[in-house]
Amino acid sequence: MKISIDNETKLIETMLEAYGVESKEAKIVAEVVVDGDLKGFSTHGLGRLPQYIKSIKAGTIKTDGDYEIEKESASSAMINGNHKFGHYVTVKAMDLAVKKASETGVGIVGIHDSNHYGIAGYYADLASIQDMIGIVISNTEPAMAAFGGKKALLGTNPITISIPSDDIDNYICLDMATSITARGKLLESKRKGEPIPEGMALDKDGNPTTDPAEGLEGSILPFGGFKGYGLAFMFELLAGPLVSAACGEKVEGTATPDVMCTKGDLLIVINPEFFGGSMQFKFYVDQFVREIREENGVIPGDREVQNIS
């Protein structure tokens, strides 16, 4: 079945509002979910809506109240999401980070007590469309074992970096998990009753498995061996204790609707104008992209654009 962008957006908004979500929040959630589907991240698109509905029913996503800024300086802030929709909280946090970067050169905002927010690239893009660099780091509930271990102690801990460009054909955005695949891919395979590729996950005893259910019960492997694990370890701390969120086994609620979400997010916005200058930065960015394309190279973001087209 095919669905238009407008119809999917309206469907999501209508369903969420029927469960008591304010219109301003429902619009943001719908926009992020649709963006995920358009970019090919179906695991973080419409397929997540049942999880969100279950979370509202369980009270782990709050439809009343609002987020609050707990601490703030000229270039930083700490936000308590008060368990509102992660999409809504993160958009507001990125807006604040962009505002601070426009005034001081750098904006850094930490978030705790929020919720699953879909694709990280959406939020980093909010900076790049304003000629700034957007970086988003998050942790998730344990899905990946420590390097050399077999018990899941780290999340898939994604990072996204979005870079501004003057060329309308250039969408430059790295959006990736530090695991070899996102947890959502295993959840989708489990839902469809399909096996996962070899070399993607281990069962609870540390043995390789192609059963997504066993992989979810065991652990997903890091990308690039120790390098992926090392990044996941660092992001666990930057998106955890640094922003008053949980880390390790204490992270819950990113994939379990009946549990309060304890993960954290760290948003960083860099304004090139305060460094070498925005025009100069984008000139060299586009020049470098042309060099890569002349060698038939792929730019981070190309796959997302191909999915949209």
Side-chain angles (χ1 to χ4, degrees), residues 121-165:
Y122 179 89
Y123 311 102
D125 290 348
L126 294 178
S128 64
I129 61 177
Q130 298 183 68
D131 288 340
M132 300 185 202
I133 300 164
I135 304 171
V136 179
I137 298 169
S138 302
N139 66 1
T140 70
E141 59 191 87
M144 186 165 63
F147 190 79
K150 59 183 181 181
K151 181 180 180 181
L153 294 173
L154 299 93
T156 55
N157 300 357
I159 180 170
T160 295
I161 306 173
S162 188
I163 302 287
S165 169

Side-chain angles (χ1 to χ4, degrees), residues 51 66 105 147 184 238 267 302:
Q51 176 183 326
D66 210 341
F147 190 79
L238 293 175
L267 316 181
D302 279 351

Side-chain angles (χ1 to χ4, degrees), residues 64-144:
D64 58 349
D66 210 341
Y67 72 93
E68 61 181 309
I69 300 175
E70 294 180 327
K71 294 180 180 180
E72 189 171 14
S73 72
S75 59
S76 67
M78 175 82 89
I79 285 182
N80 183 336
N82 285 324
H83 299 288
K84 300 291 287 180
F85 261 99
H87 314 67
Y88 168 69
V89 174
T90 313
V91 162
K92 296 302 180 181
M94 182 54 83
D95 287 345
L96 181 59
V98 167
K99 181 177 183 295
K100 290 182 178 297
S102 69
E103 296 169 350
T104 69
V106 177
I108 304 177
V109 177
I111 305 171
H112 65 91
D113 289 330
S114 184
N115 269 294
H116 187 275
Y117 59 38
I119 61 167
Y122 179 89
Y123 311 102
D125 290 348
L126 294 178
S128 64
I129 61 177
Q130 298 183 68
D131 288 340
M132 300 185 202
I133 300 164
I135 304 171
V136 179
I137 298 169
S138 302
N139 66 1
T140 70
E141 59 191 87
M144 186 165 63

Side-chain angles (χ1 to χ4, degrees), residues 286-302:
D286 291 335
Q287 183 181 68
F288 182 55
V289 169
R290 284 194 298 273
E291 291 174 2
I292 297 293
R293 293 202 192 285
E294 286 171 1
E295 292 298 316
N296 295 316
V298 176
I299 305 301
D302 279 351

Side-chain angles (χ1 to χ4, degrees), residues 160-202:
T160 295
I161 306 173
S162 188
I163 302 287
S165 169
D166 270 337
D167 190 330
I168 194 171
D169 292 325
N170 290 341
Y171 172 65
I172 309 168
C173 181
L174 174 71
D175 189 347
M176 55 169 270
T178 47
S179 55
I180 200 166
T181 187
R183 181 185 179 92
K185 293 288 180 67
L186 271 70
L187 290 168
E188 186 174 39
S189 294
K190 179 183 176 183
R191 179 174 59 83
K192 293 180 177 179
E194 298 174 348
I196 56 175
E198 293 181 0
M200 184 175 285
L202 305 176

